[in-house]
Amino acid sequence: MQAQEVVALVRQTCRVLSSERVPLESALGRVLREPVCALEDHPAFDRSAVDGYAIRLDDPGTRFEVVDEIRAGDWKPRSLRPGQSVRIGTGGAIPCEGLQVAMKEDVALEGSAIRLVRREAERNIRFRGADARQGQVLVEAGAVLQPGALALLASAGHTRPLVTRLPRVVHATTGNELVPPDQTPSQGRIRDCNSALVRTFLGLRGIPVEQSRLPEDEPAVRDAMGPVADHADLLLTSGGASVGDHDFTRRLLEELGYAILVSKTRTRPGKPLIVATRGDALAMELPGNPLAHFVCLNLFVRAALDALAGRPAEPLFARGVLGAAIDGDANARETFWPARCRQEGPAASLTPLRWLNSGDITSLATANGLIRVPGGSGRIPAGAEVDFVRAAATA
Ligand code: AMP
Ligand code: MG
């Protein structure tokens, strides 16, 4: 299967998770599940847009006695007579109808009075309801809540938005060769780096992940995995997905009652991917190579997380221009090539990074995109327009 087909299948398979109310602090990046409406007009009262002096619109004079002061937060309704003004701060409540606010910059102080040096037509008032009317939808259902939307919810008094709950994600590594990253591997062993990749990838979405390491012999694995998998919406394993004698994760999934949906892809790196389902739960067995992890996380795990969260589907690929040629060596399989992408004007510019096989990981230092090299492509010249996937990243 091509990447796009796997993504479509994953999307179709995942059911949107249930929803919950959370405080604003926990709502960043979550999908809003009901429209949020204004409980009152915004602004809720006429407010001054500037620091200045409120005067009557129908008063043609140039000298005004200052009879009161209104600061932001004060509530002092009152009328003004011709020749009178009220000093008012930005955000201060306009005391009555029929006024305008002369900007401080347009006024000269003369003892307890002001003289208008310049009279603008602009009233400098933010009128009640000008931004939104009571009952109006402020944020649509399905929106992914960003800081701006959260500020709007806060302003409108919606402090516990209804959002999709986070998925429960379990991740297990396999492989006797692995040691934790803070240890020095003995001969023949390597440090586990996929755990850090998976944890931080999910962390970008605020999703905690329960991580463990699977024992290598099968009965022990079953005992270890059974209870953990039971409460997982998404079960991820690293390695062991191919056909070696010790690659048992496919059997394990079947024994745990998962039905295999995808047992390999045509993507490179990332071919021995397994996708399986059990009820509403999804399992993905990611090929052990870190670069394959990077590809599978950004293509397939992302698709699952989006679908579980109820995010609107977006096109998988963006278009960009190659900054340097790719020697695709006519590989029969669709390849995802690590790249550095930069937005330059309307087009993204893509610099392919060096890698020879999926065990090479130094490109991960700067990769923030994956160029799609269709199967059978030979050399793709610099300047060619290509599909690419933006890798998940912090802002
Ligand atoms: P596997 O999918 O188990 O055949 O693993 C493929 C390659 O990825 C092997 O070279 C493994 O040593 C390596 N690998 C597997 N798991 C990890 C991991 N957690 N961190 C780094 N490399 C890994
Ligand atoms: Mg292995």
Side-chain angles (χ1 to χ4, degrees), residues 327-393:
D327 278 313
D329 67 14
N331 196 294
R333 282 159 52 202
E334 178 184 42
T335 299
F336 286 90
W337 198 290
R340 182 81 204 146
C341 67
R342 245 183 313 271
Q343 199 66 34
E344 277 174 7
S349 133
L350 304 165
T351 308
L353 300 168
R354 182 182 166 276
W355 69 297
L356 297 174
N357 64 66
S358 57
D360 288 353
I361 57 169
T362 52
S363 64
L364 290 180
T366 54
N368 64 350
L370 293 163
I371 297 167
R372 177 177 173 267
V373 180
S377 311
R379 182 184 159 84
I380 308 180
E385 223 187 83
V386 290
D387 285 339
F388 78 103
V389 178
R390 255 179 247 282

Side-chain angles (χ1 to χ4, degrees), residues 23-34:
L24 292 179
E25 297 70 45
S26 310
L28 183 63
R30 306 280 282 271
V31 174
L32 189 66
R33 295 290 289 275
E34 62 182 6

Side-chain angles (χ1 to χ4, degrees), residues 173-174 177-178 190-195 238-242 247 286-290:
T173 54
T174 67
E177 72 276 32
L178 301 178
I190 59 167
R191 293 192 183 89
D192 163 25
C193 67
N194 288 338
S195 295
S238 289
S242 45
D247 292 333
L286 313 176
N289 277 310

Side-chain angles (χ1 to χ4, degrees), residues 269-282:
K271 180 174 157 195
L273 171 85
I274 294 177
V275 182
T277 53
R278 184 177 76 175
D280 284 345
L282 191 75

Side-chain angles (χ1 to χ4, degrees), residues 168-203:
R168 290 179 286 263
V169 181
V170 167
H171 171 234
T173 54
T174 67
N176 275 348
E177 72 276 32
L178 301 178
V179 302
D182 58 354
Q183 287 181 20
T184 305
S186 56
Q187 292 287 349
R189 300 187 145 205
I190 59 167
R191 293 192 183 89
D192 163 25
C193 67
N194 288 338
S195 295
L197 183 54
V198 169
R199 193 166 59 244
T200 52
F201 182 88
L202 291 159

